[in-house]
């Protein structure tokens, strides 16, 4: 039988006690699945028999084909059961996780947690969360494997039951068919026996993983409780006043425990965090190595742009120092990578990035911040060092008090100096009115930081060490990271300017300025930097956790309107999605209209159609997404649109007509922005084409909103559809004594010398009338592209008048005849009587 199956199944190394128990249990389960008739007879439950799936009968003609198909399935099941290596890999991973959790439990279970600073506790909590994710992932993989083996076992039981039913119901079968059925049933029995072992192993590993996950949750709960206890201590006196001192021996012992345990926690977390994110770490290392030569190339390119006058030295100053820019970008990437990683490594990275950050900060900002830009790194290092000695209460509190007073004094000195000086420090540009609000804001921030540090010093002296530690660390973390983020943003903005600028000062998208892409990116970058600073500040002052919990509770509050329930979170998400949709639509339309499409060889008017249609497409998708976020069933929009169709048919005919006309105009493009048109008895220039109406600006300066349906239904004259050239006509009359040919040659010669008159087609003069004692001529000329026909007509008329005068041809004056008749004296009224 094994030769027929052709597969051998390995056996993991384990004691046979619990494995035998599981195999026995699984064997009973398989017997119950394989013999439903026995289960029915033992229970006598008719409904249960009716609920059991009915096995399709196998007719004699299909026995051979069905047997071959089932044999292939059985062989596939046996191949899937040969998973000794997979189970061994699962067991190896589980054993490694059990060892790691046991080690972390030893760090968490003792009573030294209260001696650790809150940063170490947060690292310990993140470590537990990392283990929870890893164990949950292993459990999910084990569950999939167990489910697959269970499905195979159930399918084998059903097939064996079907063949046993055929064997019992048709005793008159040919001996060859009976032998074939018996062989297949034996194959199924052996496959069921083989699937029992891997299924029992996966069940046991799943049980161990579940227990390990509960242990990780319990450890994380212990640390979370200690962190919450630290938060509650912010509003209570957790130590005696500073003047009472503390026991030196106990302090030294506590300091030793704190340093040793802090290093153990951070080292173990860094190792496991890097191992769990090894692929991301390798990608970051590769990107970091490639980034350095790329920055040197950007430095060369920035130098060329500065030499050609296409960029200022200040705008690309960050790229002229590629080593500093590279280190700052690596530091920011490491901080993002370790955002949920070891806290001490984040602090170490920020300390190493201090000198590059100072080299990249603008001179204006350094002058505004003053010595604080240099002293903040020193205080930051001292605070990190003191946090490792937090168990030595007297030493730590003394260091903290000296730091708080020194930092507060430095900030107050900076404020006093900025108020004394009426001009900036040496080397800076003179102050302007635009810089006054910035200086006021900087003084406000410095004053607020000094007040917070003063409060930290008072809290430290009185005995609230937790509050003093939080306030001091918050000021240092927020200010130091804000400088680093500003330096990183300076590098990214300079990089965008250099990348998107090419020869001639034209961006890569074709505009003569920085382009809407850079502007939109700068706005988005400033917004993200502000959000990052806010998050870091809230975390540093230990306000992020309570505020986030409060915000989640508020957003989870729901309102019920009948069967509809909407939460504040859904409403906020709807508003945010709507605002984001409008912002994306406007930004994309601006990019297409101003940067991308003008640089492409597209037909006139296609760019406006593409940008407008993309605007409404993004807007529609964004609004549908916002409705989905709000909880509206998007699938029911068909019903809504059907109901709207009835209303549209009665009351919104004009709106729909104008909308459809707008779509037609987008594709046919009979008019484009800037065209000179005559419509509805007015003449003007097309300013904007919308989906419902078009705005036409008349030459008197009025903006007229014309529905799109009117533009397609009524007569529309477009003077600039195929170009901006236009024919101008000037009528000239001369006396009969002037030779006509001379006049025609003179008029044509005058028109050729007028600026804005096209040479092709050439100007022409025609004699149109010779009645009433006058010779009438019509001078016809075409304007060149881009010239205003009214200006050309005026210049041409002046040139004709002056040319005819120089040629001695006088234009005939209007004549009128006066006929006098005799008046009988006395018949006319006197003036007095007439009045």
């Amino acid at each position: 039988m094994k030769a027929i199956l052709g597969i051998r199944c390995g056996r993991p190394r384990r004691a046979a006690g619990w494995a035998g128990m599981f195999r026995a249990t699984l064997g009973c389960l398989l017997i119950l699945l394989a013999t439903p008739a026995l289960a029915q007879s033992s229970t006598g439950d008719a409904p249960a028999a009716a609920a059991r799936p009915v096995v399709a009968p196998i007719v004699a003609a299909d026995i051979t084909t069905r047997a071959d198909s089932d044999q292939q399935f059985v062989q596939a099941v046996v191949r899937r059961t040969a998973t000794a290596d997979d189970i061994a890999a699962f067991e190896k991973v589980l054993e490694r996780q059990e060892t790691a959790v046991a080690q972390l439990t030893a760090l968490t279970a003792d009573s030294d947690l209260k001696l650790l600073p809150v940063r170490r506790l947060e690292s310990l909590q993140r470590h537990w969360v990392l283990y929870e994710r890893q164990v949950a992932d292993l459990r999910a993989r084990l569950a999939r494997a167990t489910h697959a083996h269970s499905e195979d076992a159930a399918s084998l039981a059903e097939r064996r039951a079907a063949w046993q039913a055929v064997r019992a119901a048709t005793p008159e079968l040919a001996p060859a068919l009976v032998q074939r059925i018996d062989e297949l049933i034996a194959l199924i029995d052996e496959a069921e026996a083989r699937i029992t072992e891997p299924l029992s192993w996966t069940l046991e590993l799943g049980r161990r993983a579940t227990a390990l996950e509960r242990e990780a949750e319990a450890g994380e709960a212990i640390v979370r409780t200690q962190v919450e206890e630290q938060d509650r201590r912010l509003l209570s006196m957790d130590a005696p006043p500073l003047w009472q001192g503390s026991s030196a021996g106990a302090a030294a012992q506590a300091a030793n425990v704190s340093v040793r345990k802090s290093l153990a926690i951070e080292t173990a977390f860094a190792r496991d965090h890097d191992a769990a994110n090894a692929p991301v770490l390798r990608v970051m290392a590769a990107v970091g190595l490639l980034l350095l030569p790329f920055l040197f190339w950007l430095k060369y390119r920035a130098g060329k742009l500065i030499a050609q006058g296409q960029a200022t030295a200040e705008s690309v100053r960050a790229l002229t120092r590629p080593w500093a820019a590279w280190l700052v970008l690596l530091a920011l990437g490491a901080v993002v990578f370790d955002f949920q990683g070891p806290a001490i490594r984040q602090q170490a990275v920020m300390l190493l990035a201090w000198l590059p950050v100072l080299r990249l900060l603008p001179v204006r900002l350094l002058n505004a911040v003053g010595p604080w830009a240099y002293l903040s790194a020193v205080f930051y290092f001292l605070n990190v060092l003191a946090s490792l000695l937090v168990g030595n209460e007297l030493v730590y509190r003394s260091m903290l008090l000296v730091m708080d007073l020194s930092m507060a004094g430095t900030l107050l000195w900076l404020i006093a100096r900025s108020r004394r000086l009426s001009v900036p420090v040496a080397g800076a540009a003179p102050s302007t009115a635009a810089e006054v609000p910035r200086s006021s804001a900087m003084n406000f921030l410095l004053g607020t930081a000094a007040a917070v540090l003063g409060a930290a010093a008072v809290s430290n002296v009185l005995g609230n060490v937790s509050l003093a530690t939080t306030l001091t660390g918050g000021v240092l973390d927020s200010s130091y990271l804000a400088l680093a983020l500003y330096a990183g943003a300076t590098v990214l903005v300079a990089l965008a300017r250099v990348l998107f600028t090419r020869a001639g000062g034209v961006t890569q998208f074709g505009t003569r300025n920085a382009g809407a892409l850079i502007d939109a990116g700068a706005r988005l970058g400033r917004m993200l930097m502000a959000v990052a600073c806010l998050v870091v500040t809230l975390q540093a002052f230990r306000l992020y956790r309570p505020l986030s919990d409060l915000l989640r509770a508020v957003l989870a509050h729901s309102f019920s309107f009948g069967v509809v329930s909407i939460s504040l979170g859904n409403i906020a998400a709807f508003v945010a999605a709507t605002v984001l949709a409008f912002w994306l639509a406007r930004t994309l339309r601006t990019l297409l209209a101003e940067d991308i499409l003008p640089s492409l060889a597209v037909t006139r008017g296609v760019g406006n159609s593409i940008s407008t249609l993309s605007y409404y497409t993004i807007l529609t998708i964004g609004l549908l997404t916002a409705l989905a976020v709000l909880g509206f069933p998007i699938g029911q929009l068909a019903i809504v649109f059907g109901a709207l169709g009835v209303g549209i048919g009665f009351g919104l005919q004009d709106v729909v007509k104008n909308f459809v006309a707008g779509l037609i105009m987008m594709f046919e493009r009979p008019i484009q922005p800037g065209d000179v048109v005559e419509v509805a008895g007015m003449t003007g220039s097309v300013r904007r084409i919308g989906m419902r109406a078009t705005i036409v600006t008349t030459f008197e300066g009025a903006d007229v909103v014309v529905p799109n349906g009117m533009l397609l239904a009524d007569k529309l004259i477009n003077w600039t559809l195929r170009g901006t050239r236009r024919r101008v006509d000037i009528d000239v009359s001369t006396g009969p004594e002037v030779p006509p040919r001379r006049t025609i040659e003179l008029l044509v010669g005058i028109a050729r010398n007028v600026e804005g008159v096209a040479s092709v087609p050439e100007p022409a003069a025609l004699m149109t009338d010779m009645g009433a004692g006058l010779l009438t001529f019509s001078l016809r000329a075409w304007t060149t592209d881009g010239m205003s026909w009214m200006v050309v007509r005026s210049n041409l008329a002046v040139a004709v008048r002056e040319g005819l005068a120089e040629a001695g041809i006088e234009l005939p004056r209007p004549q009128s005849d006066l006929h006098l008749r005799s008046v009988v004296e006395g018949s006319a009224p006197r003036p007095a009587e007439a009045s």
Side-chain angles (χ1 to χ4, degrees):
M1 195 66 63
K2 291 183 180 179
I4 296 177
L5 294 174
I7 300 294
R8 297 183 62 87
C9 182
R11 173 187 177 92
R13 301 187 304 271
R14 272 290 176 188
W18 53 264
M21 179 183 64
F22 271 91
R23 285 196 297 271
T25 305
L26 183 61
C28 296
L29 176 63
L30 294 177
I31 292 174
L32 291 177
L33 291 174
T35 55
L38 179 60
Q40 178 184 355
S41 61
S42 62
T43 57
D45 193 356
R52 190 185 69 249
V54 180
V55 179
I58 302 175
V59 298
D62 297 336
I63 289 179
T64 303
T65 303
R66 178 70 178 272
D68 294 339
S69 175
D70 285 0
Q71 182 175 347
Q72 293 177 0
F73 172 77
V74 171
Q75 291 175 347
V77 170
V78 173
R79 285 194 296 270
R80 288 194 291 270
T81 59
T83 56
D85 295 337
D86 294 340
I87 295 178
F90 282 143
E91 189 173 10
K92 184 177 180 180
V93 172
L94 184 59
E95 288 177 352
R96 186 169 61 250
Q97 292 181 354
E98 287 174 343
T99 302
V101 169
Q103 294 175 354
L104 196 60
T105 302
L107 289 175
T108 306
D110 55 25
S111 60
D112 294 335
L113 291 181
K114 61 179 178 298
L115 301 176
L116 296 175
V118 70
R119 285 186 176 273
R120 302 292 86 77
L121 293 175
E122 288 179 343
S123 293
L124 190 60
Q125 185 181 6
R126 294 171 186 171
H127 202 170
W128 278 117
V129 172
L130 175 65
Y131 281 159
E132 287 181 10
R133 290 198 301 264
Q134 291 179 346
V135 175
D137 178 70
L138 180 61
R139 278 193 61 202
R141 292 164 56 193
L142 287 171
R144 288 193 295 269
T146 304
H147 179 74
H149 291 321
S150 301
E151 290 290 333
D152 289 341
S155 181
L156 288 174
E158 291 179 0
R159 294 170 190 265
R160 181 164 56 82
W163 287 112
Q164 288 177 345
V166 172
R167 181 73 171 79
T170 54
E172 67 280 0
L173 287 175
L177 295 178
V178 173
Q179 182 181 0
R180 177 61 172 152
I181 293 174
D182 292 340
E183 290 179 353
L184 188 58
I185 293 176
L187 289 175
I188 294 175
D189 291 339
E190 184 172 352
E192 287 180 340
R194 292 196 173 197
I195 205 174
T196 302
E197 187 173 8
L199 182 57
S200 63
W201 282 108
T202 54
L203 288 172
E204 170 60 16
L205 293 178
R207 183 194 64 80
R208 290 168 57 188
T210 302
L212 187 63
E213 186 176 24
R214 287 197 298 267
E215 187 176 354
E217 292 175 353
E220 193 270 336
I222 293 174
V223 181
R224 184 175 65 250
T225 302
Q226 189 63 38
V227 172
E228 293 174 353
E229 178 64 25
Q230 293 271 15
D231 291 340
R232 286 191 294 269
R233 287 167 57 185
L234 294 176
L235 302 178
S236 61
M237 298 298 174
D238 52 359
L242 187 60
W243 58 82
Q244 293 183 3
S246 60
S247 174
Q253 181 182 2
N256 187 28
V257 172
S258 176
V259 173
R260 185 179 64 253
K261 193 158 189 174
S262 296
L263 292 177
I265 289 173
E266 297 291 351
T267 302
F269 187 22
R271 182 185 63 248
D272 292 340
H273 183 264
D274 293 343
N277 299 278
V280 179
L281 193 60
R282 286 193 292 267
V283 171
M284 290 183 61
V287 171
L289 292 177
L290 296 176
L291 185 61
L292 184 59
F294 179 66
L295 288 175
F296 273 97
W297 175 79
L298 288 177
K299 176 186 177 181
Y300 169 75
R301 182 176 176 84
K304 290 181 59 177
L305 295 177
I306 294 174
Q308 296 173 1
Q310 300 172 12
T312 61
E314 184 63 26
S315 63
V316 294
R317 174 176 174 268
L319 295 181
T320 60
R321 298 172 178 179
W323 283 105
W326 181 61
L327 292 175
V328 167
L329 292 180
L330 286 184
L332 292 179
V335 170
V336 173
F337 175 74
D338 283 333
F339 184 73
Q340 292 297 328
I344 194 171
R345 193 161 64 181
Q346 297 179 16
Q347 297 171 338
V349 169
M350 294 304 300
L351 283 174
L352 293 176
W354 171 54
L355 287 177
V357 166
L358 292 181
R359 286 184 57 82
L360 294 178
L361 289 177
V363 178
R364 183 186 68 254
L365 183 60
L366 289 176
N367 291 332
V369 178
W372 179 256
Y374 305 93
L375 294 178
S376 61
V378 177
F379 290 129
Y380 190 86
F381 173 74
L382 292 176
N383 186 55
V384 173
L385 181 62
S387 65
L388 295 175
L389 304 174
V390 68
N392 192 330
E393 182 180 338
L394 182 60
V395 175
Y396 174 71
R397 293 178 65 179
S398 301
M399 292 179 60
L400 195 63
L401 180 60
V402 173
M403 285 178 13
D404 290 338
L405 295 177
S406 301
M407 289 188 290
T410 303
L411 295 176
L412 292 176
W413 174 77
L414 288 174
I415 297 174
R417 188 192 65 166
S418 64
R419 291 180 177 178
R420 279 198 318 268
L421 298 178
S422 58
V423 295
V425 296
S431 297
T432 60
E435 294 179 353
V436 173
R438 184 180 301 170
S439 300
S440 301
M442 183 63 68
N443 288 335
F444 174 77
L445 292 177
L446 295 178
T448 303
V452 172
L453 293 171
V458 173
S459 301
N460 186 11
V461 172
L462 295 179
N464 193 341
V465 182
S466 299
L467 181 59
T469 303
T470 301
L471 295 179
T472 305
V475 171
L476 287 172
D477 291 345
S478 57
S479 60
Y480 193 80
L481 189 59
L483 293 177
L485 287 176
Y486 192 90
T490 303
V491 175
L492 295 179
V493 171
L495 186 147
R497 292 188 181 279
V498 173
L499 280 181
F500 296 136
T501 303
R502 60 186 181 189
V506 185
T507 63
Q508 297 289 355
F509 296 109
T511 58
R512 291 279 172 181
N513 46 39
L517 179 62
I518 297 179
D519 296 337
R523 289 193 298 269
L524 181 61
R526 285 192 294 268
M527 182 180 66
L528 293 178
M529 186 175 68
V531 172
C533 288
L534 178 62
V535 171
V536 170
T537 302
L538 292 177
Q539 285 185 336
F541 286 101
R542 312 228 27 94
L543 295 175
Y544 181 78
R545 187 192 302 270
L547 288 180
S548 61
D549 293 340
L550 177 62
L551 183 62
R552 281 194 292 266
V554 171
L555 294 180
H557 183 71
S558 60
F559 301 93
S560 299
F561 305 94
V563 296
V564 179
S565 179
I566 300 177
S567 65
L568 291 177
N570 296 132
I571 297 176
F574 172 78
V575 174
T578 304
V579 173
L580 180 61
F582 276 98
W583 181 81
L584 286 177
R586 286 196 304 269
T587 303
L588 181 61
R589 181 172 62 179
T590 303
L591 290 175
L592 291 174
E594 297 183 5
D595 284 345
I596 299 177
L597 295 176
S599 63
L600 302 177
V602 295
T603 308
R604 179 177 177 268
V606 174
N608 178 73
S609 300
I610 293 177
S611 60
T612 303
L613 290 175
S614 64
Y615 172 80
Y616 286 104
T617 301
I618 296 297
L619 200 60
T620 302
I621 296 174
L623 291 179
L624 290 177
T625 305
L627 289 175
V629 170
L630 186 62
F632 187 85
I634 303 299
Q636 297 182 4
L637 283 180
I639 302 176
V640 177
F641 288 152
L644 288 177
V646 179
I648 289 172
F650 289 100
L652 300 178
Q653 296 181 7
D654 292 338
V655 175
V656 174
K657 180 181 69 175
N658 293 327
F659 182 80
V660 174
L663 292 176
I664 295 174
M665 291 173 61
M666 291 294 174
F667 289 99
E668 292 189 356
R669 300 185 299 277
I671 59 174
Q672 302 301 326
D675 286 350
V676 178
V677 298
E678 292 184 14
V679 61
M682 64 177 178
T683 303
S685 175
V686 178
R687 185 166 65 88
R688 187 176 67 85
I689 302 174
M691 296 299 294
R692 188 194 68 83
T694 298
I695 299 178
V696 178
T697 302
T698 64
F699 295 121
E700 291 80 11
D703 288 337
V704 182
V705 180
V706 182
N708 292 332
M710 180 181 296
L711 294 176
L712 291 183
D714 295 348
K715 179 181 178 181
L716 173 65
I717 300 175
N718 190 344
W719 290 99
T720 54
L721 178 62
R722 296 183 179 274
T724 59
R725 299 198 309 169
R726 183 169 177 176
R727 197 185 78 176
V728 295
D729 296 345
I730 296 179
D731 294 333
V732 179
S733 298
T734 63
E737 69 279 0
V738 181
R741 293 187 181 277
R742 180 190 174 195
T743 305
I744 291 176
E745 293 176 358
L746 184 61
L747 292 175
V748 172
I750 293 172
R752 288 173 179 173
N753 296 326
V754 175
E755 182 182 1
V757 174
S759 58
V760 178
E762 294 183 349
L766 304 174
M767 183 176 174
T768 58
D769 195 7
M770 59 179 183
L774 298 175
L775 301 180
T776 305
F777 299 87
S778 177
L779 176 60
R780 301 174 181 179
W782 288 87
T783 63
T784 57
D785 285 334
M787 292 297 296
S788 174
W789 72 274
M790 298 183 67
V791 175
V792 175
R793 189 180 189 282
S794 175
N795 294 336
L796 182 59
V798 172
V800 167
R801 178 67 182 87
E802 293 176 350
L804 292 178
E806 291 178 359
I809 300 176
E810 295 184 359
L811 297 179
R813 297 180 177 85
Q815 297 180 359
S816 60
D817 296 333
L818 179 62
H819 301 278
L820 297 177
R821 293 183 302 174
S822 61
V823 180
V824 179
E825 185 179 355
S827 61
R830 296 179 179 179
E833 296 175 351
S835 61

